[in-house]
Amino acid sequence: DFNERCAQCSEVNWGLTDGGRFYCRSCHNVTERTREVVNADFVSNVRIQTISKGLRKQEKTDGGCEWYVCEGFQLVLKKQAEALEALGVHPQMKDEILCNFWRRYLQKSKQAYCNRPAGETVKAFSVCDSSTDVDSEPERPSLLHLLSLSESEGDLQTDCSFASSTSKVSESTSVCSGSVDGTWYLMKNQKDKLRMTMPMTLSFCYMALLWLREPMTLSDLLRFVVEGHIPYLNVFQHFPEKMKLYGLDLKIFCVESWPVYEEVYSKMLELAAFLDLPRFPDITDSCFLHPDMLCMKYLMEANLPDELHNWTCRVVKKICIGEVDFLTLVPGNKSTRNVKYDVLAAAVIVVVLKLLFLLDDHYEWLLSDFAEERNKNNKEGGPYFEFKKWYKVIKCSLDVEQKKLDEERAKYLWRCEKPLFYSAQKKSKVLKRRQMVVNLQNQFGKLSGSVRPAEKPNPSSFQLRWSEENTDGSCFHGHSLKGILQEKCGLLTAMNPDYWLCTVKLCTEKLCGHLAHYREVDFPQSYHFVLRLFSFLLRVEPSYIHDEVCVIEHKLFNKKLYKKPKYNTGLRK
């Protein structure tokens, strides 16, 4: 009934916004004209649609507005992307990569950018009556903010049947949650593996970082989250005041546990396959995520000699884990092995240390005694690397940092600093009560003499720092490996001819979740100490690094492990 041409593109292709105004589907131009209900008597036993569909009531009795769970997660992603951009990530990550990933997820999960099959929404909401939507085409939504603030909102298409049917559901669900679809979201998607959760927001961020090949590993991302540089814990305190959060919303957005490496990584792989993403950009030898690059970083952070980098490069080249096809993620391809870049690099270093020092609680100490005698008697040239001295220095620093981390986690207050109030009438009472609690905490703190919590540290890629300028000899970067190497056929080889395997056979049980079983009592203490060091640096369980070590060993000694025995035919009768 509205046949005027668009003032911008001269097309006659109109749709209705949530406010009842006409907008052009071709150029997204919104007019001032609104749709009027000519005659409502012909409709019987159905809910009448007024000029404004009422999808989003900007003002409710408690001063809030209607909002959806996907909008809450969109705000969380926006805040996380802005924090990553502040840490030095390319701005393209927020406005292009992450935004497109999120839109594709909304479309694939049929929350936006799609036409929902007729009747599906009505079945999902048992309290819904039949709707009288006059426009069955996708309409313009009113989501709060797109991730890309520079582009128009007009190209986002949501399902009109979903929008209209939830307006009545909001009255019944508002008792249980502040969001319109909080109850439905948990009931409908409780068996859905890719239901949007707070850990999945980090999976989205890591997927975008990996697409851009940014110099930030997953362990770095999770560490920045724990340190408070990236919004995750109590992130809902950044929601607008009109987005009331209570009831089941807290179950969705409130986090009371630290993000787990394996969960975030596995969800990232599932997301990439679910979104039907193409092959990710190639991880070449010039990328930060290449094992040679990451090994150099972790050798510096672990305070190990620079000469070890030549050995890590030799191992990477020997077993072909530096190839582009091995390192590049191909979503949904089950024939290729998914790479945890930081864990892989740490495992390579562990294997090299076993090759050179054996790590059997005996041989490394003999080499250390030899290096100590040589350093006492010969002052010329660089010092030989002493494993025993390195162990003492690292153990002292590691114990201090681990204790500090454990204390910070134990003292962490999971409650949100910003008080939550659900109505304008209760706002003053809640704020007054919160101020009283803060005053009491300050008074008791002064009486007990407790030290105020220190400010969060500045973000850094390194947790342990070592400088060669220190006169106490605590930096081992420039130390030599000559005491444990010998030259054969023009190549430096280890004086140690032996090697022990962590496991002879890898576990093939899918339910197990690990390729090899790890118990501290079953392995030498030196080996466990090295695993513990990299476990702290990567904030992962030692068993994950142990798994990767076993895989590398089986690739490195594949010919010897699976060598067919030669039978003496002369002994046969």
Side-chain angles (χ1 to χ4, degrees):
D1 56 347
F2 185 60
N3 299 322
E4 296 182 9
R5 293 186 176 274
C6 178
Q8 290 191 6
C9 64
S10 301
E11 293 288 336
V12 183
N13 186 18
W14 300 102
L16 282 177
T17 67
D18 301 326
R21 294 184 180 182
F22 291 100
Y23 79 96
C24 179
R25 292 194 184 93
S26 301
C27 66
H28 307 297
N29 176 38
V30 183
T31 68
E32 297 296 328
R33 293 286 299 273
T34 58
R35 178 178 176 81
E36 298 179 357
V37 178
V38 179
N39 186 7
D41 296 334
F42 68 96
V43 183
S44 60
N45 298 326
V46 290
R47 179 162 50 91
I48 303 301
Q49 299 295 317
T50 59
I51 295 177
S52 177
K53 291 188 177 182
L55 170 63
R56 180 177 305 281
K57 300 175 184 178
Q58 291 298 331
E59 295 294 338
K60 299 198 316 189
T61 56
D62 60 354
C65 68
E66 292 184 351
W67 59 281
Y68 295 87
V69 172
C70 64
E71 292 178 283
F73 282 116
Q74 184 164 284
L75 282 174
V76 173
L77 287 172
K78 182 173 178 289
K79 293 294 182 181
Q80 291 175 346
E82 290 173 350
L84 287 170
E85 187 175 343
L87 291 175
V89 174
H90 198 282
Q92 183 184 9
M93 179 238 178
K94 169 176 171 286
D95 291 335
E96 297 182 25
I97 308 302
L98 186 58
C99 181
N100 289 330
F101 286 167
W102 176 241
R103 288 176 172 178
R104 196 172 182 88
Y105 173 80
L106 292 177
Q107 183 184 35
K108 288 282 187 178
S109 59
K110 295 184 179 181
Q111 299 182 60
Y113 302 98
C114 68
N115 290 324
R116 186 179 296 272
E120 179 176 337
T121 305
V122 179
K123 292 179 182 179
F125 297 97
S126 59
V127 296
C128 287
D129 295 329
S130 57
S131 175
T132 59
D133 289 347
V134 294
D135 191 358
S136 61
E137 296 293 329
E139 63 183 35
R140 190 185 183 202
S142 57
L143 292 181
L144 291 179
H145 298 287
L146 291 179
L147 292 176
S148 176
L149 303 179
S150 60
E151 57 188 17
S152 172
E153 299 178 6
D155 58 346
L156 178 61
Q157 297 178 340
T158 56
D159 172 39
C160 60
S161 62
F162 174 78
S164 60
S165 59
T166 52
S167 60
K168 185 172 181 179
V169 177
S170 63
E171 299 177 3
S172 60
T173 58
S174 60
V175 179
C176 303
S177 64
S179 61
V180 172
D181 58 339
T183 305
W184 169 83
Y185 186 82
L186 291 177
M187 292 176 58
K188 177 73 175 177
N189 300 321
Q190 58 184 349
K191 294 183 179 180
D192 187 3
K193 293 182 179 180
L194 282 179
R195 181 186 68 182
M196 193 63 192
T197 59
M198 285 301 297
M200 277 182 63
T201 61
L202 300 179
S203 300
F204 267 101
C205 291
Y206 179 60
M207 188 164 58
L209 292 171
L210 185 57
W211 185 274
L212 287 174
R213 296 176 292 183
E214 286 286 336
M216 184 182 295
T217 61
L218 179 55
S219 57
D220 291 333
L221 176 67
L222 300 186
R223 179 167 56 85
F224 290 146
V225 167
V226 174
E227 293 177 355
H229 302 297
I230 299 176
Y232 180 75
L233 304 173
N234 296 326
V235 68
F236 53 82
Q237 65 183 343
H238 301 294
F239 283 10
E241 186 174 331
K242 291 185 177 181
M243 289 180 63
K244 301 301 179 182
L245 194 81
Y246 59 92
L248 294 177
D249 299 329
L250 296 176
K251 187 175 181 181
I252 298 173
F253 293 100
C254 184
V255 179
E256 293 188 353
S257 61
W258 305 102
V260 180
Y261 184 103
E262 191 65 25
E263 179 184 2
V264 175
Y265 181 79
S266 60
K267 286 297 181 183
M268 185 276 295
L269 296 178
E270 293 181 24
L271 270 175
F274 175 72
L275 301 181
D276 292 330
L277 296 181
R279 176 187 169 106
F280 276 52
D282 292 344
I283 304 296
T284 61
D285 55 2
S286 61
C287 294
F288 176 81
L289 298 176
H290 193 275
D292 291 345
M293 293 285 190
L294 286 177
C295 283
M296 185 184 302
K297 173 184 182 296
Y298 293 137
L299 285 173
M300 294 175 61
E301 195 164 10
N303 198 14
L304 289 166
D306 300 331
E307 293 182 14
L308 284 176
H309 187 246
N310 296 328
W311 285 84
T312 59
C313 292
R314 289 173 64 177
V315 171
V316 169
K317 185 177 180 180
K318 176 73 174 178
I319 59 178
C320 301
I321 60 174
E323 302 295 330
V324 173
D325 291 337
F326 175 81
L327 296 173
T328 305
L329 176 62
V330 182
N333 189 353
K334 297 182 179 180
S335 61
T336 58
R337 186 169 181 267
N338 300 312
V339 181
K340 302 171 185 175
Y341 303 97
D342 39 12
V343 178
L344 177 66
V348 170
I349 298 176
V350 175
V351 170
V352 169
L353 290 177
K354 287 183 65 179
L355 285 170
L356 299 181
F357 298 95
L358 201 57
L359 301 184
D360 65 345
D361 289 343
H362 178 69
Y363 185 73
E364 64 271 23
W365 306 123
L366 292 179
L367 292 177
S368 183
D369 293 339
F370 168 75
E372 184 180 3
E373 289 297 325
R374 187 269 175 192
N375 290 333
K376 289 180 180 179
N377 300 328
N378 190 358
K379 300 298 182 181
E380 298 179 0
Y384 281 15
F385 176 70
E386 299 180 32
F387 187 89
K388 184 186 298 183
K389 187 177 180 181
W390 171 83
Y391 172 85
K392 293 180 180 179
V393 172
I394 294 296
K395 188 177 187 304
C396 180
S397 299
L398 184 59
D399 290 343
V400 171
E401 294 297 327
Q402 186 67 57
K403 182 180 179 181
K404 186 188 302 183
L405 177 63
D406 295 339
E407 289 179 352
E408 290 177 356
R409 290 193 172 189
K411 294 179 181 179
Y412 186 81
L413 297 177
W414 294 102
R415 293 191 62 181
C416 180
E417 295 181 1
K418 178 182 177 182
L420 299 175
F421 47 89
Y422 313 125
S423 64
Q425 292 80 4
K426 295 182 179 180
K427 179 177 180 180
S428 58
K429 184 183 296 185
V430 172
L431 291 177
K432 184 177 180 180
R433 185 181 300 171
R434 179 62 179 171
Q435 186 62 40
M436 185 183 302
V437 171
V438 173
N439 292 337
L440 288 174
Q441 287 178 343
N442 292 336
Q443 292 177 10
F444 280 113
K446 292 179 180 179
L447 291 174
S448 61
S450 61
V451 181
R452 302 191 64 178
E455 297 181 358
K456 59 183 179 182
N458 295 327
S460 175
S461 297
F462 292 88
Q463 302 175 69
L464 304 177
R465 298 177 182 85
W466 314 94
S467 176
E468 296 184 10
E469 298 177 356
N470 294 343
T471 57
D472 56 356
S474 60
C475 181
F476 297 89
H477 291 160
H479 288 214
S480 174
L481 299 177
K482 291 181 180 179
I484 60 174
L485 301 178
Q486 60 183 354
E487 187 173 350
K488 283 186 178 181
C489 301
L491 291 177
L492 288 176
T493 61
M495 294 177 59
N496 166 38
D498 301 322
Y499 191 91
W500 60 271
L501 292 173
C502 293
T503 182
V504 178
K505 186 178 181 180
L506 298 177
C507 181
T508 57
E509 293 290 337
K510 293 184 179 180
L511 298 177
C512 174
H514 290 280
L515 296 173
H517 299 282
Y518 176 75
R519 292 196 311 167
E520 181 182 351
V521 295
D522 295 335
F523 295 91
Q525 286 300 309
S526 297
Y527 175 74
H528 172 70
F529 174 78
V530 174
L531 286 189
R532 180 185 162 219
L533 170 62
F534 288 105
S535 171
F536 171 80
L537 295 179
L538 304 185
R539 306 293 173 88
V540 298
E541 293 295 329
S543 57
Y544 292 127
I545 304 176
H546 176 74
D547 282 357
E548 202 67 45
V549 169
C550 295
V551 174
I552 293 176
E553 289 178 345
H554 276 250
K555 288 183 178 180
L556 194 60
F557 301 103
N558 179 60
K559 293 182 179 179
K560 294 183 179 180
L561 277 173
Y562 302 101
K563 185 177 181 181
K564 294 182 179 180
K566 295 182 180 180
Y567 297 100
N568 190 348
T569 57
L571 296 178
R572 292 183 179 179
K573 293 183 180 179

